Amino acid sequence: MTDIDPPAGTGTAILVLGMHRSGTSVLNGSLTALGCPQPATPLPTQEENLKGFFESLPLVRLNNRLLESAGRNWRSWQLISPDWFESPDRDAQVVEGMSLVLDEFGTAPLISIKDPRICQLVPLWRRILRKAGYRLVILNTHRHPVEVAQSLAARDGLSAQHALLLWLGHVLQSERATRDLPRTFTNYDTLIANPLRLLNRVSASLSLPFPKTIDAASDEILNLIDPALRHHVKTANTGLPDLIAQTLQILENWSSTGENRADHASLDQVRAVMEIIQQRLGADEESTKHAFETLEILGDLQSGAPTNDPRSGKASELARDILSELSERAGRNEVSKGLFAHIVSGLRGG
């Protein structure tokens, strides 16, 4: 893996990370109102997003090609292997990405880039933006996964199981790949309810003096918010598999009180579960069904609830295999006992 030297002069790039249908367009539109330049070739407005996407069309096309080369697409809930990011084949893609960033944003000292696909591609985008001469800060947002699932069902016909796994895969990948970077977390509800307060907090927590003041840009920012366009509202976590609900709760806590590094171990264990699941299953809809059922059964085992229900025997077997593997990894100190402490201890004999 080789890198070229970045151009002279270092700017700041805000990478807006969030799952599809999670308010990233409004968030990046607000940053545009505060003085971050629009890309030279913006993604055209569509009926699903009449206020605009605030994305670069060439960068979206690049991300689609990158995902394809990794054997993925925007609908893929499976995590991308670290080996793919380390391949020498990525070098040319980094150069291409750097060229596109410079074409789209020129030499602007402060830019913001948003495309939900980047959640799956953060390690590569870190290289791209570094080579384009930017230091990177992260603005991470999320929306309740049930609302996301409802929106994706209406727009794309995705099953709830598929959309919830997709949400989990996106938030896990973007969180893990940015731990060593300056970052802050927010959520869709706060963005819609009080965008100006949110942006003041973002500016303070990331030490970002925007070209325009928030007061000066307030009318433009508030014009992006239309509560009538919010068609899907979920107020409770009931009905979610425990591992998804617990991941959501961590992100909610971070959004309200700041990141707690003690939560990293729990998120790492959820990621380990997802890695084992995708190693054992395919990418078809039946595998998606089994994967989701496995998460449900793991939640039942974690809480001590009975698991003799009509879910597939394949998912039950996989859930128990996962616990055995986590027990072995915990014995090697590769993961903490974390979310399944009582079960893993039992499997290891205490």
Side-chain angles (χ1 to χ4, degrees):
M1 184 170 60
T2 60
D3 286 335
I4 62 174
D5 292 333
T10 300
T12 298
I14 307 169
L15 200 55
V16 178
L17 296 177
M19 169 62 184
H20 300 271
R21 316 305 295 161
S22 295
T24 55
S25 295
V26 172
L27 194 51
N28 204 36
S30 299
L31 297 179
T32 299
L34 290 169
C36 294
Q38 274 264 43
T41 317
L43 187 68
T45 298
Q46 298 178 17
E47 184 176 354
E48 68 190 72
N49 202 339
L50 296 175
K51 300 284 187 175
F53 289 94
F54 298 93
E55 294 179 23
S56 160
L57 179 57
L59 295 185
V60 169
R61 288 171 173 167
L62 170 66
N63 288 328
N64 281 329
R65 294 194 301 273
L66 293 173
L67 289 174
E68 183 179 4
S69 71
R72 302 285 189 268
N73 57 50
W74 77 265
R75 297 170 179 249
S76 299
W77 54 264
Q78 296 88 349
L79 313 182
I80 295 178
S81 167
D83 292 341
W84 182 83
F85 291 106
E86 295 299 322
S87 168
D89 294 340
R90 305 290 79 78
D91 293 348
Q93 294 168 332
V94 168
V95 173
E96 179 186 7
M98 180 191 68
S99 178
L100 288 175
V101 167
L102 296 176
D103 287 345
E104 289 294 290
F105 297 100
T107 59
L110 177 66
I111 66 173
S112 61
I113 293 180
K114 164 255 174 181
D115 177 3
R117 296 162 184 82
I118 294 177
C119 289
Q120 303 182 71
L121 298 165
V122 172
L124 195 62
W125 269 96
R126 292 182 61 155
R127 292 182 61 195
I128 289 170
L129 290 169
R130 186 171 66 247
K131 299 324 158 215
Y134 289 98
R135 79 175 185 97
L136 188 56
V137 299
I138 304 298
L139 178 50
N140 196 310
T141 192
H142 70 276
R143 184 180 182 183
H144 197 290
V146 171
E147 293 184 14
V148 170
Q150 291 170 341
S151 184
L152 288 174
R155 190 190 74 173
D156 302 290
L158 289 189
S159 70
Q161 293 176 333
H162 191 149
L164 291 171
L165 288 171
L166 189 62
W167 180 93
L168 185 60
H170 275 60
V171 301
L172 290 175
Q173 289 177 100
S174 61
E175 187 282 322
R176 183 64 183 87
T178 58
R179 285 183 186 172
D180 61 329
L181 293 173
R183 65 180 185 177
T184 193
F185 289 80
T186 186
N187 61 35
Y188 183 82
D189 289 340
T190 304
L191 175 64
I192 298 302
N194 201 328
L196 303 184
R197 179 183 296 175
L198 179 151
L199 291 165
N200 272 302
R201 182 168 63 83
V202 167
S203 178
S205 61
L206 294 178
S207 301
L208 287 174
F210 291 109
K212 292 175 65 175
T213 68
I214 292 172
D215 285 345
S218 61
D219 288 346
E220 189 175 352
I221 292 168
L222 294 174
N223 187 55
L224 294 167
I225 310 295
D226 186 353
L229 296 177
R230 185 178 187 180
H231 304 299
H232 309 286
V233 179
K234 178 70 174 178
T235 58
N237 296 347
T238 54
L240 287 174
D242 283 355
L243 293 185
I244 296 179
Q246 290 161 3
T247 300
L248 172 62
Q249 190 59 58
I250 288 171
L251 295 177
E252 288 287 280
N253 292 343
W254 289 4
S255 298
S256 61
T257 61
E259 181 176 355
N260 181 355
R261 296 179 65 86
D263 293 325
H264 291 174
S266 295
L267 293 173
D268 285 345
Q269 192 165 75
V270 177
R271 182 185 176 97
V273 168
M274 291 291 284
E275 289 172 344
I276 298 168
I277 286 175
Q278 73 183 54
Q279 288 167 4
R280 308 290 180 86
L281 297 174
D284 57 14
E285 202 59 31
E286 186 68 13
S287 294
T288 296
K289 175 176 177 290
H290 290 321
F292 190 82
E293 289 178 341
T294 301
L295 291 184
E296 290 183 313
I297 293 169
L298 284 169
D300 291 346
L301 291 169
Q302 180 189 352
S303 63
T307 59
N308 54 340
D309 55 36
R311 288 173 296 206
S312 73
K314 184 173 185 177
S316 296
E317 180 182 355
L318 178 54
R320 285 165 174 78
D321 286 347
I322 287 170
L323 291 174
S324 294
E325 184 161 339
L326 289 177
S327 174
E328 294 175 3
R329 292 189 185 189
R332 298 191 299 266
N333 294 319
E334 294 175 2
V335 297
S336 68
K337 293 179 183 178
L339 300 174
F340 302 100
H342 59 295
I343 304 174
V344 169
S345 293
L347 288 168
R348 297 184 61 216

